[in-house]
Amino acid sequence: MVEHRMLTFLLAAVVAQSAAFQVGTATAQRGQIARGAVEVPAGVDAALSIPVAVVHGARPGPVLAIVSGAHGTEYASIIAVERLIEQIDPRTMTGTVILVPLVNVPSFEQKIAHVNPVDGKSMNRFYPGKADGTQTERASFAITREVVEKCDHLIDLHGGDLDESLRPYAYWTKTGNEKQDAVSREMLLAFGLDTIIISSDRPKDPAASRYLENTASTRGKPSLTAEAGHAGTVEPQDVDALVRGAVSVMRYLKIVPGTPSMIESPVWIERVAPITSDATGIFYPLVTRGSFVQKGMKVGYVTDYLGRTLLEARAPESGVILFIRAVPSMTKGETIANIGVPSNR
Ligand SMILES: [Zn+2]
């Protein structure tokens, strides 16, 4: 009898254990939120502690990961995930949400755009990472194992870096797997940004996935990337768009109750035409983010430091200004603007 009771107790303990959800040092029981970190051990350079929150629903269901701050000065996206941590309630959830608000902590703390100042690498270009690489590679390796492999869907949020004036948009990665692509397309429509870039040229090899979202996509997990924010600002409409979008995807996946608000007729962008600067100098924009330009139209110009025009930047194709340089600093080889060319379909 005692033995039987002991066995029942042990079995219950095992079931309770398996119902918990762990990411890094954060272990959440059903109906609870846990906060912790994905610990990246020291290697050829310093260790890194990446904060993570696990919101573990009362009932089992899909696991959605939401990650931001690969670029630590894309503030609107980071603040959006902070808000999600406060806002979503595990007691009413069916499924689990892993929230990683700030991957690139050194970039955030030192206000360095685009890269991790520890090793000079972009934290969205080295997936799936390497256990013995530099900090960015080790961090990517840890996120692949702890976040990507533990989720069913992933949303990677970005927010227009310090020098980027961009209009909100999302990316749809076409993997070629029709069933998966149909789900990720629905997730994008649920997210609700009205401009969607179709990416058909992302790496197909999971061992060379390069981008975070692509690391999930090449592992068979329908996922998306979305950007809102510009030039270091934290404007309510950008943060709201990302928070609303994430919650709407949670509704689409039935993790939280409610009907997703699906966007009906987004502008699909079939390719992005960049304008690159051939000169170093001072950049003057002549158009704003989100405006439509005709092929050949002047979008800006670059002068030397004494006011002499070095180049006029013209639109190589007609389309929408997805992004235009937000600051006067311009060096040779940098992008002046990206023009999204809408698809005819
Ligand atoms: Zn970014």
Side-chain angles (χ1 to χ4, degrees), residues 14 35 138 145 163 188 202 251 255-256 307-308 325:
V14 167
R35 291 171 169 85
R138 298 197 310 283
R145 283 202 317 183
D163 55 353
L188 278 154
R202 294 269 156 122
R251 288 179 177 151
I255 294 173
V256 299
R308 289 168 292 203
R325 177 108 350 228

Side-chain angles (χ1 to χ4, degrees), residues 15 49 51 72 200 202 226 289 311 313 336 340 342:
V15 169
S49 187
S200 305
R202 294 269 156 122
R289 64 199 173 97
L311 72 85
I336 289 175

